[in-house]
Amino acid sequence: MKLWLERMIIGFTRGMNLRSKILILYGLILLLPTLVLGGGAIYLVIRSFHHSYLVTLDETVRQTARNVDFAKQSYDLLAVRTATDGELIARLEREYMDMPEIVDTVNYVDRTFLITSRYLPGIADFRIYHTNETLVQDGQLLWRPEERMLAGRDERSWYNDAMKSSSPLQWSNARDNPKQIVITRKIISASGNVLGMVYILLNYDAVFGELLDHPFNGDGSLYIVDESRRILAASDKARIGSLMLSKEWPDAGEDGDEAGVYDLTQVKELLITKPLSSHWNVVALVHMKYMGSQNRTVLYLIVGITLFFLLLSIFLMMTIVKNIVRRIRKLGSRMSDLSRGEFEVNVRNHEKDEVGELENMFNSMSERLGKLVEGITRAGLKEKEQAFKALQAQVNPHFIYNSLSLIRWRALDVQDSEQIVIIDALTTFYRLALNNKISVIRIREELEHVKAYLDIQQLRYPDRIQIEWDIDSSVLDFYTIKTVLQPIVENCYLHGAITRRKNAVIRISVSREGGNIRMSVYDNGQGIPGDILSAIEEGTHVGKGNGFGTSNIKERLALYFGENGTFTMESAAGEWTLVSIVFPVCPEQPIIRREQ
């Protein structure tokens, strides 16, 4: 009888919303206990809605903070890689004596950074400022600070203020346009001298517009606050540039005027703050709908009356509330699973009331979160792979091949055998270096690439360097990452000063050690001091000795082999340097690992 009555009541009220259920129960009973029962159910539902709303808001703000952090790191990486380019630093330090050297530097800057400046969306302007009086400004990428206007400021005034900043990397709003953001990064030499400034002008809508557009369905606001507590971006654009004052940062407005401070210390709305890895914060201000003293007073009164009539109305109350509480607890359990990263969870739903709508919203949210996390993972892998390809795609391969072929025919006409050898070596070298369709090759091809480079250098420095090869022929058909040895050999010439050594030797060895391949390059050049060697291994050295090749090789080894791929450097200052690369034996082509 009891079970039949419960099924009948649940079936009768299944198609109604919560308000209708309470009204029907009140109409059937026509007694005060019915009102108490409805009030108790309302209290439980409101409390559950409130809790679910807070969890959803917190997760939404957390996800927004991750997206903002990801976007910021992408543009930071672009600015840092440009400002720490070893060749750019060397050219900005140089004193130019004739026009061909200047033209060569301008061409290098345009060729290297013009494509880089278009790599990320939303870049409205990209400049490299310098103060080298012997180097021109070409009006495209190279500039010198003068009296021109730049983002609402005098160029020279902006440059001097940026130089005085203690931080090498800065984000700020353009003074003349709140819809633009300025990124500056100091270009610092190995000796610590500031040589210039990287200037990037971003379109606000392309970088933060979508993330901050109409948050919380119009029931709140989002703010991106930098390390100085100044609002850099906001859904309320009138607040951009103001200092934010809140309970967490009570001293943020001490140095700002009253008109430029946004005071949130007395605001009663919900304030959520999520810190970013760069000392920024994402701040959410949400208007709460289910909090108020009047509602709490009514709910407390209903609870008291419910307790008084508990014995009389226990059956009806348990029948309705048990179903609601069971579903809410089930939803809460699924939310706990979601907070642990299990995005495939969902709630089976057959009801059409408010809790049913919440279950549908939860199912939709978990599905979207899962897709978003997967998309971010794929985007991170794609970004790393595209970064490597972008560095290889800066020169048109067909143009170089055709040019070399033309020069070779001319050399054959005049029977210049030495020039033919150089051209053949260049052709072999660029055939692999400019092929951006492959990332892994056989060890045999990698050694041919290195040999072509060394043939060119031997012709350039005849009889100065002895090249020794120690190659295990059994490993030649295994696979390796493309261009891992050539940058190391090139460092022997660029940084090891091997050409100035008597009895100079470069020894290249490739051998198998169990399940691993070891590639080594030894030279008796000038070596590397211990402090610089430690900084290179830790990735903190920004001078000429680090270069892009070392960090690039480490990143690619980790990308393809994880912890199984290692890069080590040993050196004695003034005597020798030994660089070793170890990775697993690969009879088949390795692929990029997803666990990054």
Side-chain angles (χ1 to χ4, degrees):
M1 181 65 180
K2 176 181 177 181
L3 294 177
W4 173 82
L5 186 57
E6 286 181 348
R7 284 196 295 267
M8 184 185 68
I9 295 173
I10 294 174
F12 178 73
T13 59
R14 174 170 293 174
M16 304 177 184
N17 58 33
L18 189 59
R19 185 183 297 274
S20 299
K21 291 176 182 179
I22 295 173
L23 292 176
I24 290 297
L25 289 176
Y26 179 81
L28 291 175
I29 303 302
L30 293 177
L31 293 173
L32 189 59
T34 305
L35 179 61
V36 174
L37 177 62
I42 292 175
Y43 171 75
L44 290 176
V45 171
I46 289 178
R47 186 176 63 178
S48 299
F49 265 93
H50 180 71
H51 175 71
S52 301
Y53 189 48
L54 291 178
V55 172
T56 303
L57 287 177
D58 187 77
E59 185 59 31
T60 300
V61 177
R62 187 189 305 276
Q63 194 60 51
T64 300
R66 290 175 181 171
N67 292 339
V68 171
D69 209 10
F70 178 81
K72 181 180 185 301
Q73 289 176 3
S74 299
Y75 291 98
D76 285 351
L77 182 61
L78 174 61
V80 171
R81 282 188 174 179
T82 301
T84 57
D85 182 81
E87 181 65 19
L88 175 63
I89 293 173
R91 289 178 181 268
L92 292 182
E93 282 184 310
R94 184 185 305 170
E95 182 176 352
Y96 295 88
M97 305 301 295
D98 53 31
M99 184 55 66
E101 290 183 341
I102 296 176
V103 172
D104 180 63
T105 293
V106 171
N107 290 335
Y108 168 79
V109 172
D110 291 345
R111 183 177 64 250
T112 304
F113 300 106
L114 193 58
I115 295 178
T116 302
S117 66
R118 299 169 183 169
Y119 180 68
L120 293 174
I123 297 179
D125 196 3
F126 185 96
R127 300 183 181 184
I128 298 175
Y129 279 89
H130 67 88
T131 55
N132 189 333
E133 296 296 334
T134 64
L135 180 62
V136 300
Q137 53 178 336
D138 65 348
Q140 184 167 327
L141 292 182
L142 283 176
W143 295 76
R144 282 204 297 259
E146 295 182 354
E147 302 299 330
R148 296 178 293 257
M149 294 302 293
L150 182 69
R153 296 189 62 186
D154 174 76
E155 261 187 1
R156 199 177 299 279
S157 174
W158 160 79
Y159 187 88
N160 292 335
D161 290 345
M163 286 297 180
K164 294 176 183 178
S165 173
S166 59
S167 174
L169 179 66
Q170 285 187 313
W171 286 60
S172 61
N173 297 105
R175 291 190 177 182
D176 61 340
N177 190 350
K179 291 188 177 182
Q180 290 183 326
I181 296 175
V182 175
I183 304 176
T184 59
R185 177 59 163 82
K186 294 179 182 178
I187 303 175
I188 305 174
S189 68
S191 60
N193 295 325
V194 180
L195 305 177
M197 193 78 62
V198 175
Y199 169 88
I200 304 176
L201 184 66
L202 301 181
N203 186 304
Y204 175 94
D205 291 331
V207 180
F208 296 122
E210 183 177 352
L211 296 175
L212 304 181
D213 183 34
H214 202 63
F216 314 113
N217 296 322
D219 291 331
S221 303
L222 275 173
Y223 303 91
I224 299 177
V225 184
D226 63 16
E227 62 273 12
S228 63
R229 312 311 182 198
R230 188 170 296 277
I231 299 175
L232 188 67
S235 53
D236 181 7
K237 292 184 174 58
R239 300 293 184 184
I240 294 177
S242 302
L243 288 172
M244 178 170 284
L245 182 62
S246 68
K247 295 178 182 179
E248 297 185 14
W249 312 314
D251 58 343
E254 289 183 356
D255 298 331
D257 53 66
E258 184 176 353
V261 176
Y262 184 32
D263 190 350
L264 297 177
T265 55
Q266 304 299 324
V267 174
K268 295 183 179 180
E269 284 80 9
L270 178 64
L271 188 66
I272 303 176
T273 302
K274 296 296 180 184
L276 307 183
S277 60
S278 57
H279 304 293
W280 285 14
N281 290 271
V282 172
V283 179
L285 184 64
V286 185
H287 310 297
M288 300 300 294
K289 297 180 178 179
Y290 306 112
M291 297 181 63
S293 59
Q294 183 177 2
N295 290 339
R296 288 196 296 270
T297 302
V298 172
L299 289 175
Y300 293 155
L301 180 61
I302 292 176
V303 171
I305 297 176
T306 301
L307 292 176
F308 179 78
F309 291 99
L310 179 62
L311 294 178
L312 180 63
S313 58
I314 186 67
F315 177 75
L316 293 177
M317 183 178 67
M318 291 301 299
T319 301
I320 300 297
V321 175
K322 182 172 68 174
N323 179 50
I324 296 175
V325 171
R326 177 182 60 82
R327 292 166 59 200
I328 292 174
R329 289 178 177 173
K330 184 178 180 180
L331 183 60
S333 175
R334 295 296 182 269
M335 287 183 176
S336 297
D337 295 339
L338 184 63
S339 67
R340 292 193 295 269
E342 299 176 13
F343 297 106
E344 297 180 357
V345 299
N346 55 42
V347 180
R348 294 182 179 180
N349 173 37
H350 302 289
E351 313 295 339
K352 297 182 179 180
D353 56 11
E354 288 83 354
V355 180
E357 293 177 1
L358 184 62
E359 291 169 342
N360 289 331
M361 291 172 59
F362 173 81
N363 291 337
S364 177
M365 180 188 69
S366 63
E367 181 180 358
R368 292 178 62 186
L369 284 175
K371 291 180 179 179
L372 184 59
V373 171
E374 183 180 357
I376 292 174
T377 302
R378 287 200 302 267
L381 292 173
K382 191 66 175 178
E383 190 273 338
K384 290 183 178 180
E385 186 175 9
Q386 290 300 323
F388 302 144
K389 291 183 178 180
L391 292 173
Q392 301 167 356
Q394 297 175 2
V395 182
N396 188 325
H398 297 290
F399 175 77
I400 290 182
Y401 295 156
N402 293 337
S403 300
L404 290 174
S405 177
L406 176 62
I407 297 172
R408 192 177 192 278
W409 280 109
R410 292 290 182 87
L412 284 173
D413 288 341
V414 298
Q415 298 182 350
D416 188 340
S417 60
E418 183 175 346
Q419 188 174 353
I420 292 173
V421 172
I422 296 175
I423 294 170
D424 289 341
L426 283 171
T427 303
T428 302
F429 179 83
Y430 282 116
R431 182 179 293 114
L432 180 67
L434 298 179
N435 187 354
N436 56 19
K437 295 181 180 180
I438 60 172
S439 298
V440 293
I441 58 175
R442 297 187 187 274
I443 294 176
R444 182 191 310 278
E445 297 172 279
E446 177 68 14
L447 292 175
E448 290 176 358
H449 181 61
V450 175
K451 185 178 183 301
Y453 175 80
L454 286 171
D455 287 344
I456 297 170
Q457 295 291 11
Q458 289 293 77
L459 291 170
R460 185 181 177 188
Y461 305 105
D463 300 325
R464 293 192 191 181
I465 303 169
Q466 179 181 349
I467 307 299
E468 298 181 358
W469 300 86
D470 183 11
I471 309 299
D472 183 354
S473 60
S474 65
V475 305
L476 294 179
D477 289 326
F478 293 131
Y479 284 92
T480 181
I481 305 173
K482 173 184 171 183
T483 60
V484 291
L485 276 181
Q486 185 273 330
I488 299 173
V489 175
E490 184 176 359
N491 283 339
C492 299
Y493 290 89
L494 294 180
H495 308 302
I498 192 69
T499 59
R500 297 196 296 267
R501 284 280 184 174
K502 292 183 179 180
N503 301 320
V505 175
I506 296 178
R507 185 179 302 117
I508 301 170
S509 63
V510 181
S511 61
R512 180 168 181 172
E513 299 179 351
N516 292 325
I517 301 292
R518 176 180 292 274
M519 294 182 173
S520 301
V521 177
Y522 168 87
D523 73 87
N524 61 349
Q526 67 180 4
I528 306 173
D531 56 340
I532 296 179
L533 181 63
S534 299
I536 292 175
E537 292 176 345
E538 295 172 1
T540 59
H541 182 60
V542 298
K544 296 180 181 179
N546 192 12
F548 181 74
T550 299
S551 60
N552 181 269
I553 293 171
K554 289 181 179 179
E555 289 178 4
R556 289 189 289 150
L557 284 172
L559 193 61
Y560 281 88
F561 304 114
E563 296 181 354
N564 295 324
T566 61
F567 179 97
T568 58
M569 296 181 67
E570 303 174 53
S571 183
E575 298 182 13
W576 55 270
T577 299
L578 174 64
V579 180
S580 299
I581 299 174
V582 179
F583 56 90
V585 173
C586 297
E588 304 293 336
Q589 293 188 13
I591 60 175
I592 294 177
R593 301 165 60 93
R594 296 186 60 86
E595 306 85 35
Q596 299 299 321

